[in-house]
Amino acid sequence: MTRILIVEDEHDIASVLQDYLRHAGYDTEHIADGRSALDRIRADAPDLTLLDVMLPRMDGLAVLRELRAHSAHPVILLTARIEEVDRLLGLELGADDYICKPFSPREVVARVRAVLRRTGGDNAMPAGASTSALVLDETHWQATLQGEPLNLTRREFRLLQALARHPGRIFSRGQLLELAYDHSDDVTERAVDSHIKNLRRKLAAAAPAHDWIRSVYGVGFSFEEPPD
Ligand code: CA
């Protein structure tokens, strides 16, 4: 049975999450402080950890930093505010997803499923590889989506490549600038928006049934694979 560890010091929230996750067929465990959670994960790692940021004894960020030094263990951070996500992204801690409070438990279950699906096999897609639907041929700068050629500019190609290597992970504009643009490029974060807009249009033309790029208001963008 898939085991989810909930690390949360607010017992009401933890208990609602436990109910929903159990109902969705997961085995759950609850720990209320960061230090115990880290010990528990190291001793016997669950399949995924829902990790609150503000915790007694050791905060969620310190726990994640320790974990990331040695493992790609799937972690979804629970944060108090949407504004905080931007700061967390800036720290490049490598959470697999972020959920802002207040959240609906249903949303949490959906995100848990999505993260488990994409971390179940290989953790990150290597360069030039493909998701189920998207094929990126780096040698020829050619991309196809569900068999349809996308005719991307190099810039759009690199943006899509950066996003698609970690489906579901949210990238800030600043991170995309670093990943998809050369340092010599004199571009602003606004340029990212306009390239994303064009990229979206091309993805939608090739495969309109799904919204491939998710905008997270005030934070950034992620590449979303369609549900199975
Ligand atoms: Ca808390």
Side-chain angles (χ1 to χ4, degrees):
M1 203 175 191
T2 305
R3 200 154 50 89
I4 313 287
L5 177 64
I6 299 163
V7 187
E8 168 65 80
D9 56 327
E10 288 169 69
H11 287 265
D12 290 353
I13 294 178
S15 114
V16 171
L17 285 177
Q18 280 196 299
D19 285 351
Y20 269 80
L21 287 165
R22 281 182 181 155
H23 194 70
Y26 298 111
D27 196 6
T28 63
E29 184 180 343
H30 171 222
I31 289 178
D33 77 90
R35 169 56 60 191
S36 311
L38 186 60
D39 292 345
R40 181 77 181 112
I41 295 165
R42 280 177 169 161
D44 182 17
D47 295 285
L48 181 146
T49 298
L50 282 171
L51 183 61
D52 188 28
V53 171
M54 298 295 285
L55 289 169
R57 291 183 73 203
M58 183 177 191
D59 74 30
L61 303 187
V63 173
L64 181 57
R65 199 172 284 124
E66 292 277 317
L67 283 175
R68 279 293 172 267
H70 306 285
S71 90
H73 173 71
V75 172
I76 299 179
L77 279 182
L78 305 175
T79 76
R81 298 182 310 278
I82 186 92
E83 303 89 70
E84 196 175 49
V85 174
D86 212 17
R87 186 174 67 83
L88 301 181
L89 284 169
L91 295 173
E92 300 201 29
L93 291 161
D96 294 278
D97 205 350
Y98 301 84
I99 299 175
C100 295
K101 294 176 176 179
F103 47 71
S104 79
R106 217 172 292 229
E107 181 197 0
V108 175
V109 172
R111 302 279 198 95
V112 164
R113 270 207 192 100
V115 168
L116 285 171
R117 196 171 55 224
R118 69 175 195 260
T119 55
D122 282 344
N123 209 25
M125 218 178 35
S130 55
T131 66
S132 50
L134 178 72
V135 179
L136 297 169
D137 171 3
E138 217 173 350
T139 320
H140 303 99
W141 299 90
Q142 274 167 10
T144 57
L145 184 66
Q146 297 183 344
E148 294 286 322
L150 290 173
N151 299 317
L152 303 181
T153 64
R154 289 195 176 197
R155 188 67 65 216
E156 290 159 4
F157 184 96
R158 287 180 65 183
L159 269 176
L160 182 58
Q161 188 179 43
L163 289 164
R165 271 184 190 157
H166 301 279
R169 183 177 290 181
I170 305 160
F171 291 87
S172 68
R173 288 170 178 79
Q175 285 177 318
L176 290 173
L177 271 180
E178 278 195 12
L179 290 167
Y181 296 75
D182 299 318
H183 290 294
S184 57
D185 291 348
D186 185 19
V187 288
T188 61
E189 295 192 356
R190 192 168 292 184
V192 175
D193 283 7
S194 90
H195 286 127
I196 290 276
K197 196 173 150 197
N198 292 333
L199 191 51
R200 263 214 168 107
R201 186 170 43 76
K202 293 180 181 181
L203 291 165
H210 174 67
D211 193 8
W212 296 90
I213 296 181
R214 177 164 74 112
S215 288
V216 183
Y217 182 74
V219 182
F221 306 96
S222 65
F223 179 81
E224 298 291 323
E225 290 191 315
D228 296 332

